[in-house]
């Protein structure tokens, strides 16, 4: 089995303050992670706005054109399996996307 980094993009919007909305979001993510079972190595977290270090060392804020909004580490047998597992992610239902990358052992 291979570890895959899932980097979530988009669909962050304003952070809800309504307890029912917060619960609905948490429930959706918990249900998806639950459906993946032991394949979830690290459920990860949302992330704040990113910055980019340019080749000249300059730090540019703003996260670029498609900033990351969170991450997870998921175990899968191959890219197709990782793709299948990503299919039920709540971020996809809200217009976001998932970047999938195999973690290479060094």
């Amino acid at each position: 089995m291979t570890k895959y980094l899932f980097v979530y993009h988009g669909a962050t919007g304003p952070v809800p303050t309504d307890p029912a909305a917060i619960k609905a979001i948490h429930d959706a993510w918990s249900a998806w992670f639950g459906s993946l079972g032991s394949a979830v190595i690290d459920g990860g977290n949302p992330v704040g706005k990113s910055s980019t270090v340019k080749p000249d060392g300059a730090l540019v804020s703003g996260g670029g054109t498609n900033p990351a909004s969170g991450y997870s580490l998921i175990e899968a047998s191959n890219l197709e399996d990782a793709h299948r597992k990503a299919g039920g992610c709540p971020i996809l239902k809200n217009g976001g996307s998932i970047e999938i990358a195999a973690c290479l052992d060094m």
Side-chain angles (χ1 to χ4, degrees):
M1 294 293 254
T2 302
K3 294 177 194 171
Y4 286 87
L5 176 66
F6 283 22
V7 180
Y8 308 112
H9 296 275
T12 56
V15 177
T17 56
D18 174 56
I22 294 169
K23 183 178 181 332
I25 291 167
H26 284 267
D27 289 351
W29 281 86
S30 291
W32 178 58
F33 285 136
S35 74
L36 297 178
S38 64
V40 179
I41 298 167
D42 178 354
N45 284 295
V47 298
K49 287 285 184 189
S50 61
S51 298
T52 303
V53 178
K54 297 291 190 167
D56 67 0
L59 182 65
V60 180
S61 61
T65 58
N66 191 18
S69 56
Y71 73 95
S72 297
L73 278 175
I74 306 295
E75 192 170 57
S77 57
N78 53 40
L79 178 59
E80 292 76 21
D81 185 35
H83 177 221
R84 182 186 58 75
K85 289 176 176 173
C89 181
I91 202 163
L92 299 174
K93 295 177 178 77
N94 293 316
S97 63
I98 304 171
E99 181 178 348
I100 301 173
C103 299
L104 306 175
D105 289 328
M106 300 283 296

